[in-house]
Amino acid sequence: MSSSNTNTSLAASVPTLTSLNYLQWKPKMMNFLHASTLYWVICTIHPEYTGENTSELSDWDNDKDHALGHIFLKMDANLANHYQDKETTAAVWSGLETQFFNVSVTFVFMEFKVMMDTTIPENQHPAPAFSKMTAHFVHLKEFKYKVPNKVQVMIVLAKIRRYMDTIAQLLNLSSPDSTSTTIAKNWMMYSKLLLILI
């Protein structure tokens, strides 16, 4: 696959930034800029002209323009217009961070409540529920409300259905320092083992 086709398919995976989806947009845009080798212009300042570094200056300016173009193309038109006067990618990036990353306690509570309301279906595999809870734990960590691993494990184990008690006991024995992710991995292993034994 050519580089332009790869960039096109990667760009398609980045949603358009609106006032509601910054936390989903940011990591995808960051990954796209990394994959396109453009992220470095966010982390560096414009090099000073020394008379011998015209190639370095040109590279920085070109990559900055490409990065800004990609960011603006993946922004709602009104948001893009608001940031058009910014001269560097870093200025746009920090402006978006300031504008959107002020998370209220109410928003964090809603994230926590949705995670707590997640149930493990009675007659379905629990992996999707584990993935959903893990995603909520990650979001809470991003909001600087990290749920400690031991509490994550207790929440997940409390949600396990009665017919899963045998697997829950095996999970408890497996590792004292489990996380919700290791529970999901061990769950797969133990459930396969029980199917073989039955």
Side-chain angles (χ1 to χ4, degrees):
M1 185 179 257
S2 74
S3 176
S4 64
N5 287 343
T6 302
N7 277 350
T8 303
S9 64
L10 285 172
S13 71
V14 179
T16 299
L17 175 64
T18 66
S19 60
L20 303 174
N21 68 345
Y22 176 74
L23 293 174
Q24 291 79 33
W25 177 86
K26 180 186 174 185
K28 290 184 179 193
M29 179 53 77
M30 223 160 91
N31 291 339
F32 172 76
L33 293 174
H34 275 293
S36 303
T37 64
L38 298 171
Y39 188 76
W40 72 282
V41 295
I42 292 175
C43 305
T44 59
I45 59 172
H46 191 277
E48 291 294 322
Y49 178 71
T50 63
E52 299 174 7
N53 65 344
T54 54
S55 174
E56 181 185 357
L57 288 169
S58 177
D59 289 346
W60 195 92
D61 287 334
N62 286 336
D63 284 354
K64 177 209 48 142
D65 291 342
H66 283 112
L68 281 173
H70 286 301
I71 290 170
F72 287 143
L73 284 172
K74 287 299 184 170
M75 289 173 74
D76 175 78
N78 292 328
L79 282 174
N81 286 337
H82 180 73
Y83 287 95
Q84 287 292 331
D85 64 333
K86 304 288 185 196
E87 293 190 17
T88 66
T89 316
V92 171
W93 203 256
S94 66
L96 290 170
E97 186 83 12
T98 302
Q99 181 176 354
F100 291 114
F101 206 65
N102 296 328
V103 180
S104 70
V105 173
T106 305
F107 187 81
V108 174
F109 173 74
M110 292 306 297
E111 185 75 26
F112 181 76
K113 182 161 177 21
V114 170
M115 182 272 305
M116 290 301 289
D117 291 344
T118 301
T119 59
I120 297 175
E122 190 72 43
N123 296 324
Q124 295 176 6
H125 199 282
F130 287 151
S131 295
K132 184 177 178 185
M133 283 188 279
T134 301
H136 289 300
F137 289 135
V138 169
H139 290 154
L140 289 168
K141 182 180 177 182
E142 288 172 353
F143 302 149
K144 304 202 180 359
Y145 284 83
K146 183 180 188 297
V147 177
N149 288 342
K150 291 180 181 186
V151 176
Q152 289 181 28
V153 170
M154 287 189 286
I155 291 169
V156 171
L157 289 175
K159 293 178 175 292
I160 290 179
R161 300 288 188 172
R162 282 220 179 273
Y163 74 91
M164 304 174 188
D165 281 347
T166 306
I167 295 175
Q169 289 173 0
L170 290 170
L171 290 171
N172 282 330
L173 295 173
S174 66
S175 172
D177 296 326
S178 292
T179 64
S180 58
T181 305
T182 58
I183 285 179
K185 288 178 185 174
N186 288 339
W187 183 275
M188 297 293 286
M189 180 181 67
Y190 291 135
S191 60
K192 287 178 185 175
L193 179 65
L194 283 178
L195 286 175
I196 291 169
L197 294 175
I198 294 176

